[in-house]
Amino acid sequence: MAAYMITSTLRRVLLVAKHASFQSRCCVAASRVQYSTVYDSNEKTFDKILIANRGEIACRVMKTCKKMGIKTVAVHSDVDASAVHVKMADEAVCVGPAPTNKSYLNMDAIMDAIRKTGSQAVHPGYGFLSENKEFAKRLAAEDVVFIGPVAIHAMVDKIESKLLAKAANVNVIPGFDGVSR
């Protein structure tokens, strides 16, 4: 992973100071993922983030980035070219026609937009690609940071999420755990 650290949310960064940054450490110990946020005024922040979503969530992420001095890239379908999130962004890239499976869910087009704009990180927003393991793997393969909780991908699979919760000593409702007896 590049010289950048993953933050669990961009919004948390603004709680300390306008130009401050955080260093998030993810420790995997005893099958348990733990996050701690430590203030480090010397930490390098991103220069440019691509927001792989639209609407209100994209606007919120962009507002936060602007307050932090980070450039933003919006992706949009051809019919969303004049949407608010596109106008708010420093750059915008059309990723396909109106159907979401041909635009906002089109990983190839979004990966091309990342390369074209030189984005160092991607904030997936909610829905679309935010819980897609393959998307996260493709970002990692290109040394692009996925901004979001690492364990969210495990939550897509109910059995995997239950096993992860058990490993973290979280109380779960008894039931099928994926093991045939």
CSV table of all heavy atoms in Angstrom, one decimal, residues 44-93:
chain,number,residue,atom,x,y,z
A,44,LYS,N,1.4,12.2,5.5
A,44,LYS,CA,1.1,12.7,4.2
A,44,LYS,C,-0.4,12.3,3.9
A,44,LYS,O,-0.8,11.2,4.1
A,44,LYS,CB,2.0,12.0,3.1
A,44,LYS,CG,1.8,12.5,1.7
A,44,LYS,CD,2.8,11.8,0.8
A,44,LYS,CE,2.4,12.0,-0.6
A,44,LYS,NZ,3.1,13.1,-1.3
A,45,THR,N,-1.1,13.3,3.3
A,45,THR,CA,-2.5,13.0,3.0
A,45,THR,C,-2.6,12.8,1.5
A,45,THR,O,-1.6,13.0,0.7
A,45,THR,CB,-3.5,14.1,3.4
A,45,THR,OG1,-3.0,15.3,2.7
A,45,THR,CG2,-3.5,14.3,4.9
A,46,PHE,N,-3.7,12.4,1.0
A,46,PHE,CA,-3.9,12.2,-0.5
A,46,PHE,C,-4.0,13.5,-1.2
A,46,PHE,O,-4.4,14.5,-0.7
A,46,PHE,CB,-5.2,11.4,-0.7
A,46,PHE,CG,-5.3,10.1,-0.1
A,46,PHE,CD1,-6.2,9.9,1.0
A,46,PHE,CD2,-4.5,9.1,-0.5
A,46,PHE,CE1,-6.3,8.7,1.6
A,46,PHE,CE2,-4.6,7.8,0.1
A,46,PHE,CZ,-5.5,7.6,1.2
A,47,ASP,N,-3.5,13.5,-2.4
A,47,ASP,CA,-3.6,14.7,-3.3
A,47,ASP,C,-4.9,14.7,-4.0
A,47,ASP,O,-5.5,15.7,-4.3
A,47,ASP,CB,-2.4,14.8,-4.3
A,47,ASP,CG,-1.1,14.9,-3.6
A,47,ASP,OD1,-1.0,15.7,-2.7
A,47,ASP,OD2,-0.2,14.2,-4.0
A,48,LYS,N,-5.4,13.5,-4.4
A,48,LYS,CA,-6.6,13.4,-5.2
A,48,LYS,C,-7.3,12.1,-4.9
A,48,LYS,O,-6.7,11.0,-4.8
A,48,LYS,CB,-6.2,13.4,-6.7
A,48,LYS,CG,-7.4,13.5,-7.6
A,48,LYS,CD,-7.0,13.4,-9.1
A,48,LYS,CE,-6.1,14.6,-9.5
A,48,LYS,NZ,-5.8,14.6,-10.9
A,49,ILE,N,-8.6,12.2,-4.7
A,49,ILE,CA,-9.5,11.0,-4.4
A,49,ILE,C,-10.6,11.0,-5.4
A,49,ILE,O,-11.3,12.0,-5.7
A,49,ILE,CB,-10.1,11.2,-3.0
A,49,ILE,CG1,-9.0,11.1,-1.9
A,49,ILE,CG2,-11.2,10.1,-2.8
A,49,ILE,CD1,-9.5,11.3,-0.5
A,50,LEU,N,-10.9,9.8,-5.9
A,50,LEU,CA,-12.0,9.5,-6.8
A,50,LEU,C,-13.2,9.0,-6.0
A,50,LEU,O,-13.0,8.1,-5.2
A,50,LEU,CB,-11.6,8.5,-7.9
A,50,LEU,CG,-12.7,8.2,-8.9
A,50,LEU,CD1,-12.1,8.1,-10.3
A,50,LEU,CD2,-13.5,6.9,-8.6
A,51,ILE,N,-14.3,9.6,-6.2
A,51,ILE,CA,-15.5,9.2,-5.5
A,51,ILE,C,-16.3,8.4,-6.4
A,51,ILE,O,-16.9,8.9,-7.4
A,51,ILE,CB,-16.3,10.4,-4.9
A,51,ILE,CG1,-15.5,11.1,-3.8
A,51,ILE,CG2,-17.6,9.9,-4.3
A,51,ILE,CD1,-14.8,12.3,-4.3
A,52,ALA,N,-16.4,7.1,-6.2
A,52,ALA,CA,-17.1,6.1,-7.1
A,52,ALA,C,-18.6,6.0,-6.7
A,52,ALA,O,-19.1,4.9,-6.4
A,52,ALA,CB,-16.4,4.8,-7.0
A,53,ASN,N,-19.3,7.1,-6.7
A,53,ASN,CA,-20.7,7.2,-6.3
A,53,ASN,C,-21.3,8.5,-6.8
A,53,ASN,O,-20.6,9.3,-7.5
A,53,ASN,CB,-20.9,7.0,-4.8
A,53,ASN,CG,-22.1,6.2,-4.5
A,53,ASN,OD1,-23.2,6.6,-4.8
A,53,ASN,ND2,-21.9,5.1,-3.8
A,54,ARG,N,-22.5,8.7,-6.5
A,54,ARG,CA,-23.2,9.9,-7.0
A,54,ARG,C,-24.1,10.4,-5.9
A,54,ARG,O,-24.2,9.9,-4.8
A,54,ARG,CB,-24.0,9.6,-8.2
A,54,ARG,CG,-25.1,8.6,-8.0
A,54,ARG,CD,-25.9,8.3,-9.2
A,54,ARG,NE,-26.9,7.2,-8.9
A,54,ARG,CZ,-27.6,6.6,-9.8
A,54,ARG,NH1,-27.5,6.9,-11.1
A,54,ARG,NH2,-28.5,5.7,-9.5
A,55,GLY,N,-24.7,11.5,-6.2
A,55,GLY,CA,-25.7,12.1,-5.2
A,55,GLY,C,-25.2,12.6,-3.9
A,55,GLY,O,-24.0,13.1,-3.9
A,56,GLU,N,-26.0,12.6,-2.9
A,56,GLU,CA,-25.7,13.2,-1.6
A,56,GLU,C,-24.4,12.6,-1.0
A,56,GLU,O,-23.6,13.4,-0.5
A,56,GLU,CB,-26.8,13.0,-0.6
A,56,GLU,CG,-26.6,13.6,0.7
A,56,GLU,CD,-26.4,15.1,0.7
A,56,GLU,OE1,-26.8,15.8,-0.2
A,56,GLU,OE2,-25.8,15.6,1.7
A,57,ILE,N,-24.1,11.3,-1.1
A,57,ILE,CA,-22.9,10.8,-0.4
A,57,ILE,C,-21.7,11.3,-1.1
A,57,ILE,O,-20.7,11.7,-0.5
A,57,ILE,CB,-22.9,9.2,-0.4
A,57,ILE,CG1,-21.7,8.7,0.3
A,57,ILE,CG2,-23.0,8.6,-1.8
A,57,ILE,CD1,-21.6,9.1,1.8
A,58,ALA,N,-21.7,11.4,-2.5
A,58,ALA,CA,-20.6,12.0,-3.2
A,58,ALA,C,-20.4,13.4,-2.8
A,58,ALA,O,-19.2,13.9,-2.6
A,58,ALA,CB,-20.8,11.8,-4.7
A,59,CYS,N,-21.4,14.2,-2.7
A,59,CYS,CA,-21.3,15.6,-2.3
A,59,CYS,C,-20.7,15.7,-0.9
A,59,CYS,O,-19.9,16.6,-0.6
A,59,CYS,CB,-22.7,16.3,-2.3
A,59,CYS,SG,-23.3,16.4,-4.0
A,60,ARG,N,-21.1,14.9,0.1
A,60,ARG,CA,-20.6,15.0,1.4
A,60,ARG,C,-19.1,14.7,1.4
A,60,ARG,O,-18.3,15.3,2.1
A,60,ARG,CB,-21.3,14.0,2.3
A,60,ARG,CG,-22.7,14.4,2.7
A,60,ARG,CD,-23.4,13.4,3.6
A,60,ARG,NE,-24.8,13.8,3.8
A,60,ARG,CZ,-25.5,13.2,4.7
A,60,ARG,NH1,-25.0,12.2,5.4
A,60,ARG,NH2,-26.8,13.6,4.9
A,61,VAL,N,-18.7,13.6,0.7
A,61,VAL,CA,-17.3,13.3,0.6
A,61,VAL,C,-16.5,14.4,0.0
A,61,VAL,O,-15.4,14.8,0.5
A,61,VAL,CB,-17.0,12.0,-0.1
A,61,VAL,CG1,-15.6,11.7,-0.3
A,61,VAL,CG2,-17.7,10.8,0.6
A,62,MET,N,-17.0,15.0,-1.0
A,62,MET,CA,-16.3,16.1,-1.7
A,62,MET,C,-16.2,17.3,-0.8
A,62,MET,O,-15.1,18.0,-0.8
A,62,MET,CB,-17.0,16.5,-3.0
A,62,MET,CG,-16.8,15.5,-4.1
A,62,MET,SD,-17.7,16.0,-5.6
A,62,MET,CE,-17.8,14.4,-6.4
A,63,LYS,N,-17.2,17.7,0.0
A,63,LYS,CA,-17.1,18.8,0.9
A,63,LYS,C,-16.0,18.5,1.9
A,63,LYS,O,-15.2,19.4,2.2
A,63,LYS,CB,-18.4,19.0,1.7
A,63,LYS,CG,-19.5,19.6,0.8
A,63,LYS,CD,-20.8,19.7,1.6
A,63,LYS,CE,-22.0,20.1,0.7
A,63,LYS,NZ,-23.3,20.1,1.5
A,64,THR,N,-15.9,17.3,2.4
A,64,THR,CA,-14.9,17.0,3.4
A,64,THR,C,-13.5,17.1,2.8
A,64,THR,O,-12.6,17.7,3.3
A,64,THR,CB,-15.1,15.6,3.9
A,64,THR,OG1,-16.4,15.5,4.6
A,64,THR,CG2,-14.0,15.2,4.9
A,65,CYS,N,-13.4,16.6,1.5
A,65,CYS,CA,-12.1,16.6,0.8
A,65,CYS,C,-11.6,18.1,0.6
A,65,CYS,O,-10.5,18.4,0.8
A,65,CYS,CB,-12.2,15.9,-0.5
A,65,CYS,SG,-12.2,14.1,-0.3
A,66,LYS,N,-12.6,18.9,0.2
A,66,LYS,CA,-12.2,20.3,0.0
A,66,LYS,C,-11.7,21.0,1.2
A,66,LYS,O,-10.8,21.8,1.2
A,66,LYS,CB,-13.5,21.1,-0.6
A,66,LYS,CG,-13.7,20.7,-2.1
A,66,LYS,CD,-14.7,21.6,-2.7
A,66,LYS,CE,-15.1,21.1,-4.1
A,66,LYS,NZ,-14.0,20.9,-5.0
A,67,LYS,N,-12.4,20.7,2.4
A,67,LYS,CA,-11.9,21.3,3.6
A,67,LYS,C,-10.5,20.8,4.0
A,67,LYS,O,-9.8,21.5,4.7
A,67,LYS,CB,-12.9,20.9,4.8
A,67,LYS,CG,-14.2,21.6,4.7
A,67,LYS,CD,-15.2,21.2,5.8
A,67,LYS,CE,-16.5,21.9,5.6
A,67,LYS,NZ,-17.5,21.5,6.7
A,68,MET,N,-10.2,19.6,3.5
A,68,MET,CA,-8.8,19.1,3.8
A,68,MET,C,-7.8,19.5,2.7
A,68,MET,O,-6.7,19.1,2.8
A,68,MET,CB,-8.9,17.6,3.9
A,68,MET,CG,-9.8,17.1,5.0
A,68,MET,SD,-9.9,15.3,5.0
A,68,MET,CE,-8.2,14.8,5.3
A,69,GLY,N,-8.3,20.2,1.7
A,69,GLY,CA,-7.3,20.5,0.6
A,69,GLY,C,-7.0,19.4,-0.4
A,69,GLY,O,-6.0,19.4,-1.0
A,70,ILE,N,-7.9,18.4,-0.4
A,70,ILE,CA,-7.7,17.3,-1.3
A,70,ILE,C,-8.6,17.4,-2.6
A,70,ILE,O,-9.8,17.7,-2.5
A,70,ILE,CB,-8.1,16.0,-0.6
A,70,ILE,CG1,-7.3,15.7,0.6
A,70,ILE,CG2,-8.0,14.8,-1.6
A,70,ILE,CD1,-7.7,14.6,1.5
A,71,LYS,N,-8.0,17.3,-3.8
A,71,LYS,CA,-8.7,17.4,-5.0
A,71,LYS,C,-9.6,16.2,-5.2
A,71,LYS,O,-9.3,15.1,-4.7
A,71,LYS,CB,-7.7,17.4,-6.2
A,71,LYS,CG,-6.8,18.5,-6.2
A,71,LYS,CD,-7.3,19.7,-6.8
A,71,LYS,CE,-6.3,20.8,-6.9
A,71,LYS,NZ,-6.9,22.1,-6.7
A,72,THR,N,-10.8,16.4,-5.8
A,72,THR,CA,-11.7,15.3,-6.0
A,72,THR,C,-12.1,15.0,-7.5
A,72,THR,O,-12.0,15.9,-8.3
A,72,THR,CB,-13.1,15.6,-5.3
A,72,THR,OG1,-13.6,16.9,-5.8
A,72,THR,CG2,-12.9,15.7,-3.8
A,73,VAL,N,-12.4,13.8,-7.7
A,73,VAL,CA,-12.8,13.3,-9.1
A,73,VAL,C,-14.2,12.7,-8.9
A,73,VAL,O,-14.3,11.8,-8.1
A,73,VAL,CB,-11.8,12.3,-9.7
A,73,VAL,CG1,-12.2,11.8,-11.0
A,73,VAL,CG2,-10.4,12.9,-9.7
A,74,ALA,N,-15.1,13.1,-9.7
A,74,ALA,CA,-16.4,12.5,-9.8
A,74,ALA,C,-16.5,11.6,-11.0
A,74,ALA,O,-15.9,11.9,-12.0
A,74,ALA,CB,-17.5,13.6,-9.9
A,75,VAL,N,-17.2,10.5,-10.8
A,75,VAL,CA,-17.6,9.7,-11.9
A,75,VAL,C,-19.1,9.9,-12.2
A,75,VAL,O,-19.8,10.1,-11.2
A,75,VAL,CB,-17.2,8.2,-11.7
A,75,VAL,CG1,-15.7,8.0,-11.7
A,75,VAL,CG2,-17.9,7.6,-10.5
A,76,HIS,N,-19.5,9.7,-13.4
A,76,HIS,CA,-20.9,9.9,-13.7
A,76,HIS,C,-21.3,9.2,-15.0
A,76,HIS,O,-20.4,8.8,-15.8
A,76,HIS,CB,-21.2,11.4,-13.9
A,76,HIS,CG,-20.5,12.1,-15.0
A,76,HIS,ND1,-21.0,12.1,-16.3
A,76,HIS,CD2,-19.3,12.7,-15.1
A,76,HIS,CE1,-20.1,12.7,-17.1
A,76,HIS,NE2,-19.1,13.1,-16.4
A,77,SER,N,-22.6,8.9,-15.1
A,77,SER,CA,-23.1,8.3,-16.3
A,77,SER,C,-23.4,9.5,-17.3
A,77,SER,O,-23.4,10.6,-16.9
A,77,SER,CB,-24.4,7.5,-16.0
A,77,SER,OG,-25.4,8.4,-15.7
A,78,ASP,N,-23.6,9.1,-18.5
A,78,ASP,CA,-23.9,10.2,-19.5
A,78,ASP,C,-25.1,11.1,-19.1
A,78,ASP,O,-25.0,12.3,-19.4
A,78,ASP,CB,-24.0,9.7,-20.9
A,78,ASP,CG,-25.0,8.6,-21.1
A,78,ASP,OD1,-25.8,8.3,-20.1
A,78,ASP,OD2,-25.1,8.0,-22.2
A,79,VAL,N,-26.1,10.5,-18.5
A,79,VAL,CA,-27.2,11.4,-18.1
A,79,VAL,C,-27.0,12.2,-16.9
A,79,VAL,O,-27.8,13.1,-16.6
A,79,VAL,CB,-28.5,10.5,-18.0
A,79,VAL,CG1,-28.9,9.9,-19.3
A,79,VAL,CG2,-28.4,9.5,-16.9
A,80,ASP,N,-26.0,11.9,-16.1
A,80,ASP,CA,-25.7,12.6,-14.9
A,80,ASP,C,-24.6,13.7,-15.1
A,80,ASP,O,-24.1,14.2,-14.1
A,80,ASP,CB,-25.2,11.6,-13.8
A,80,ASP,CG,-26.3,10.8,-13.2
A,80,ASP,OD1,-27.5,11.2,-13.3
A,80,ASP,OD2,-26.0,9.7,-12.7
A,81,ALA,N,-24.3,14.0,-16.3
A,81,ALA,CA,-23.2,14.9,-16.6
A,81,ALA,C,-23.4,16.3,-15.9
A,81,ALA,O,-22.4,17.0,-15.6
A,81,ALA,CB,-23.0,15.1,-18.1
A,82,SER,N,-24.6,16.7,-15.7
A,82,SER,CA,-24.8,18.0,-15.1
A,82,SER,C,-25.3,17.9,-13.6
A,82,SER,O,-25.8,18.9,-13.0
A,82,SER,CB,-25.8,18.9,-15.9
A,82,SER,OG,-27.1,18.2,-16.0
A,83,ALA,N,-25.1,16.8,-13.0
A,83,ALA,CA,-25.5,16.5,-11.6
A,83,ALA,C,-24.7,17.4,-10.7
A,83,ALA,O,-23.5,17.8,-11.0
A,83,ALA,CB,-25.4,15.1,-11.3
A,84,VAL,N,-25.2,17.6,-9.5
A,84,VAL,CA,-24.5,18.5,-8.5
A,84,VAL,C,-23.1,17.9,-8.1
A,84,VAL,O,-22.2,18.7,-8.1
A,84,VAL,CB,-25.4,18.6,-7.2
A,84,VAL,CG1,-24.6,19.4,-6.1
A,84,VAL,CG2,-26.7,19.3,-7.5
A,85,HIS,N,-23.0,16.6,-7.9
A,85,HIS,CA,-21.7,16.0,-7.5
A,85,HIS,C,-20.7,16.2,-8.6
A,85,HIS,O,-19.5,16.4,-8.3
A,85,HIS,CB,-21.9,14.6,-7.1
A,85,HIS,CG,-22.0,13.6,-8.2
A,85,HIS,ND1,-23.1,13.4,-9.0
A,85,HIS,CD2,-21.0,12.7,-8.8
A,85,HIS,CE1,-22.9,12.5,-9.9
A,85,HIS,NE2,-21.6,12.0,-9.8
A,86,VAL,N,-21.1,16.2,-9.9
A,86,VAL,CA,-20.2,16.5,-11.0
A,86,VAL,C,-19.7,17.9,-11.0
A,86,VAL,O,-18.5,18.2,-11.2
A,86,VAL,CB,-20.9,16.1,-12.3
A,86,VAL,CG1,-20.0,16.4,-13.5
A,86,VAL,CG2,-21.3,14.6,-12.3
A,87,LYS,N,-20.6,18.8,-10.7
A,87,LYS,CA,-20.3,20.3,-10.7
A,87,LYS,C,-19.4,20.6,-9.5
A,87,LYS,O,-18.5,21.5,-9.6
A,87,LYS,CB,-21.5,21.1,-10.6
A,87,LYS,CG,-22.3,21.0,-11.9
A,87,LYS,CD,-23.6,21.8,-11.8
A,87,LYS,CE,-24.4,21.7,-13.1
A,87,LYS,NZ,-25.7,22.4,-13.0
A,88,MET,N,-19.5,19.9,-8.4
A,88,MET,CA,-18.7,20.1,-7.2
A,88,MET,C,-17.3,19.6,-7.3
A,88,MET,O,-16.4,20.2,-6.7
A,88,MET,CB,-19.3,19.4,-6.0
A,88,MET,CG,-20.5,20.1,-5.4
A,88,MET,SD,-21.2,19.2,-4.0
A,88,MET,CE,-19.9,19.5,-2.8
A,89,ALA,N,-17.1,18.6,-8.1
A,89,ALA,CA,-15.8,18.0,-8.2
A,89,ALA,C,-14.8,18.8,-9.0
A,89,ALA,O,-15.1,19.7,-9.8
A,89,ALA,CB,-15.9,16.6,-8.9
A,90,ASP,N,-13.5,18.6,-8.7
A,90,ASP,CA,-12.4,19.3,-9.4
A,90,ASP,C,-12.3,18.7,-10.8
A,90,ASP,O,-11.9,19.4,-11.7
A,90,ASP,CB,-11.1,19.1,-8.6
A,90,ASP,CG,-11.2,19.8,-7.3
A,90,ASP,OD1,-11.4,21.0,-7.2
A,90,ASP,OD2,-11.0,19.1,-6.3
A,91,GLU,N,-12.6,17.4,-11.0
A,91,GLU,CA,-12.5,16.8,-12.3
A,91,GLU,C,-13.7,15.8,-12.3
A,91,GLU,O,-14.2,15.4,-11.3
A,91,GLU,CB,-11.3,15.9,-12.4
A,91,GLU,CG,-10.0,16.7,-12.4
A,91,GLU,CD,-8.8,15.7,-12.5
A,91,GLU,OE1,-8.7,14.9,-13.5
A,91,GLU,OE2,-7.9,15.8,-11.6
A,92,ALA,N,-14.1,15.5,-13.5
A,92,ALA,CA,-15.2,14.5,-13.7
A,92,ALA,C,-14.9,13.6,-14.9
A,92,ALA,O,-14.4,14.1,-15.9
A,92,ALA,CB,-16.6,15.2,-13.9
A,93,VAL,N,-15.3,12.4,-14.8
A,93,VAL,CA,-15.1,11.4,-15.8
A,93,VAL,C,-16.4,10.6,-16.1
A,93,VAL,O,-17.0,10.1,-15.1
A,93,VAL,CB,-14.0,10.4,-15.5
A,93,VAL,CG1,-13.8,9.4,-16.6
A,93,VAL,CG2,-12.7,11.1,-15.2
